[in-house]
mmCIF file of all heavy atoms in Angstrom:
data_model
loop_
_atom_site.group_PDB
_atom_site.id
_atom_site.type_symbol
_atom_site.label_atom_id
_atom_site.label_comp_id
_atom_site.label_asym_id
_atom_site.label_seq_id
_atom_site.Cartn_x
_atom_site.Cartn_y
_atom_site.Cartn_z
ATOM 1 N N GLN A 78 91.738 -78.106 144.547
ATOM 2 C CA GLN A 78 93.019 -77.709 145.129
ATOM 3 C C GLN A 78 92.793 -77.230 146.577
ATOM 4 O O GLN A 78 91.904 -77.700 147.263
ATOM 5 C CB GLN A 78 93.697 -76.623 144.288
ATOM 6 C CG GLN A 78 93.507 -76.721 142.787
ATOM 7 C CD GLN A 78 94.026 -78.005 142.164
ATOM 8 O OE1 GLN A 78 94.892 -78.669 142.690
ATOM 9 N NE2 GLN A 78 93.469 -78.366 141.009
ATOM 10 N N ASP A 79 93.600 -76.285 147.041
ATOM 11 C CA ASP A 79 93.463 -75.776 148.411
ATOM 12 C C ASP A 79 92.460 -74.635 148.517
ATOM 13 O O ASP A 79 92.021 -74.289 149.617
ATOM 14 C CB ASP A 79 94.819 -75.295 148.943
ATOM 15 C CG ASP A 79 95.821 -76.430 149.075
ATOM 16 O OD1 ASP A 79 95.380 -77.564 149.362
ATOM 17 O OD2 ASP A 79 97.024 -76.185 148.877
ATOM 18 N N ALA A 80 92.126 -74.025 147.384
ATOM 19 C CA ALA A 80 91.222 -72.871 147.414
ATOM 20 C C ALA A 80 90.417 -72.822 146.130
ATOM 21 O O ALA A 80 90.847 -73.312 145.080
ATOM 22 C CB ALA A 80 92.016 -71.573 147.585
ATOM 23 N N THR A 81 89.240 -72.224 146.231
ATOM 24 C CA THR A 81 88.403 -71.976 145.061
ATOM 25 C C THR A 81 87.711 -70.641 145.257
ATOM 26 O O THR A 81 87.860 -69.990 146.296
ATOM 27 C CB THR A 81 87.383 -73.109 144.850
ATOM 28 O OG1 THR A 81 86.770 -72.954 143.563
ATOM 29 C CG2 THR A 81 86.306 -73.095 145.929
ATOM 30 N N TRP A 82 86.937 -70.209 144.258
ATOM 31 C CA TRP A 82 86.260 -68.922 144.341
ATOM 32 C C TRP A 82 84.987 -69.057 145.170
ATOM 33 O O TRP A 82 84.137 -69.902 144.894
ATOM 34 C CB TRP A 82 85.918 -68.416 142.944
ATOM 35 C CG TRP A 82 85.342 -67.035 142.932
ATOM 36 C CD1 TRP A 82 84.035 -66.688 142.740
ATOM 37 C CD2 TRP A 82 86.052 -65.812 143.125
ATOM 38 N NE1 TRP A 82 83.885 -65.318 142.796
ATOM 39 C CE2 TRP A 82 85.116 -64.756 143.033
ATOM 40 C CE3 TRP A 82 87.390 -65.507 143.370
ATOM 41 C CZ2 TRP A 82 85.473 -63.423 143.174
ATOM 42 C CZ3 TRP A 82 87.751 -64.173 143.508
ATOM 43 C CH2 TRP A 82 86.802 -63.151 143.412
ATOM 44 N N LEU A 83 84.869 -68.236 146.202
ATOM 45 C CA LEU A 83 83.710 -68.246 147.090
ATOM 46 C C LEU A 83 82.888 -66.983 146.876
ATOM 47 O O LEU A 83 83.418 -65.936 146.496
ATOM 48 C CB LEU A 83 84.158 -68.332 148.548
ATOM 49 C CG LEU A 83 85.064 -69.515 148.914
ATOM 50 C CD1 LEU A 83 85.473 -69.431 150.378
ATOM 51 C CD2 LEU A 83 84.373 -70.843 148.624
ATOM 52 N N GLU A 84 81.576 -67.092 147.147
ATOM 53 C CA GLU A 84 80.673 -65.959 146.962
ATOM 54 C C GLU A 84 79.816 -65.764 148.198
ATOM 55 O O GLU A 84 79.743 -66.634 149.080
ATOM 56 C CB GLU A 84 79.806 -66.172 145.723
ATOM 57 C CG GLU A 84 80.615 -66.235 144.435
ATOM 58 C CD GLU A 84 79.753 -66.411 143.202
ATOM 59 O OE1 GLU A 84 78.870 -67.299 143.209
ATOM 60 O OE2 GLU A 84 79.957 -65.669 142.233
ATOM 61 N N GLY A 85 79.146 -64.611 148.249
ATOM 62 C CA GLY A 85 78.386 -64.234 149.429
ATOM 63 C C GLY A 85 77.305 -65.215 149.831
ATOM 64 O O GLY A 85 77.005 -65.363 151.022
ATOM 65 N N TRP A 86 76.698 -65.904 148.858
ATOM 66 C CA TRP A 86 75.627 -66.847 149.187
ATOM 67 C C TRP A 86 76.137 -68.029 150.019
ATOM 68 O O TRP A 86 75.340 -68.757 150.620
ATOM 69 C CB TRP A 86 74.944 -67.361 147.918
ATOM 70 C CG TRP A 86 75.834 -68.127 146.984
ATOM 71 C CD1 TRP A 86 76.587 -67.616 145.978
ATOM 72 C CD2 TRP A 86 76.067 -69.537 146.983
ATOM 73 N NE1 TRP A 86 77.282 -68.611 145.337
ATOM 74 C CE2 TRP A 86 76.974 -69.804 145.932
ATOM 75 C CE3 TRP A 86 75.597 -70.600 147.753
ATOM 76 C CZ2 TRP A 86 77.423 -71.090 145.641
ATOM 77 C CZ3 TRP A 86 76.042 -71.884 147.465
ATOM 78 C CH2 TRP A 86 76.940 -72.119 146.420
ATOM 79 N N GLN A 87 77.467 -68.195 150.075
ATOM 80 C CA GLN A 87 78.057 -69.263 150.883
ATOM 81 C C GLN A 87 78.387 -68.795 152.299
ATOM 82 O O GLN A 87 79.004 -69.525 153.072
ATOM 83 C CB GLN A 87 79.317 -69.793 150.189
ATOM 84 C CG GLN A 87 79.006 -70.497 148.863
ATOM 85 C CD GLN A 87 80.237 -70.825 148.052
ATOM 86 O OE1 GLN A 87 80.954 -69.928 147.604
ATOM 87 N NE2 GLN A 87 80.494 -72.109 147.857
ATOM 88 N N GLY A 88 77.970 -67.569 152.628
ATOM 89 C CA GLY A 88 78.154 -67.063 153.981
ATOM 90 C C GLY A 88 79.520 -66.481 154.256
ATOM 91 O O GLY A 88 79.905 -66.319 155.418
ATOM 92 N N VAL A 89 80.264 -66.143 153.192
ATOM 93 C CA VAL A 89 81.606 -65.578 153.349
ATOM 94 C C VAL A 89 81.758 -64.404 152.390
ATOM 95 O O VAL A 89 80.933 -64.189 151.502
ATOM 96 C CB VAL A 89 82.694 -66.633 153.052
ATOM 97 C CG1 VAL A 89 82.632 -67.772 154.056
ATOM 98 C CG2 VAL A 89 82.547 -67.166 151.622
ATOM 99 N N ALA A 90 82.836 -63.649 152.572
ATOM 100 C CA ALA A 90 83.132 -62.565 151.644
ATOM 101 C C ALA A 90 83.582 -63.147 150.308
ATOM 102 O O ALA A 90 84.219 -64.208 150.259
ATOM 103 C CB ALA A 90 84.216 -61.659 152.220
ATOM 104 N N GLU A 91 83.256 -62.464 149.221
ATOM 105 C CA GLU A 91 83.630 -62.940 147.895
ATOM 106 C C GLU A 91 85.143 -62.923 147.727
ATOM 107 O O GLU A 91 85.810 -61.952 148.051
ATOM 108 C CB GLU A 91 82.974 -62.069 146.831
ATOM 109 C CG GLU A 91 83.190 -62.550 145.416
ATOM 110 C CD GLU A 91 82.404 -61.753 144.397
ATOM 111 O OE1 GLU A 91 81.230 -62.081 144.154
ATOM 112 O OE2 GLU A 91 82.974 -60.772 143.863
ATOM 113 N N GLY A 92 85.684 -64.029 147.222
ATOM 114 C CA GLY A 92 87.120 -64.112 147.002
ATOM 115 C C GLY A 92 87.593 -65.548 147.088
ATOM 116 O O GLY A 92 86.800 -66.486 147.264
ATOM 117 N N CYS A 93 88.891 -65.750 146.953
ATOM 118 C CA CYS A 93 89.466 -67.090 147.046
ATOM 119 C C CYS A 93 89.496 -67.545 148.498
ATOM 120 O O CYS A 93 89.812 -66.759 149.397
ATOM 121 C CB CYS A 93 90.885 -67.098 146.470
ATOM 122 S SG CYS A 93 90.953 -66.874 144.677
ATOM 123 N N GLY A 94 89.161 -68.807 148.717
ATOM 124 C CA GLY A 94 89.167 -69.335 150.072
ATOM 125 C C GLY A 94 88.991 -70.838 150.083
ATOM 126 O O GLY A 94 88.810 -71.480 149.040
ATOM 127 N N THR A 95 89.042 -71.407 151.266
ATOM 128 C CA THR A 95 88.888 -72.853 151.433
ATOM 129 C C THR A 95 87.498 -73.286 150.984
ATOM 130 O O THR A 95 86.497 -72.680 151.390
ATOM 131 C CB THR A 95 89.096 -73.244 152.903
ATOM 132 O OG1 THR A 95 90.388 -72.803 153.325
ATOM 133 C CG2 THR A 95 88.981 -74.748 153.079
#
Side-chain angles (χ1 to χ4, degrees):
Q78 325 300 336
D79 295 328
T81 191
W82 186 255
L83 304 178
E84 297 181 312
W86 62 271
Q87 294 170 296
V89 296
E91 185 174 274
C93 291
T95 303

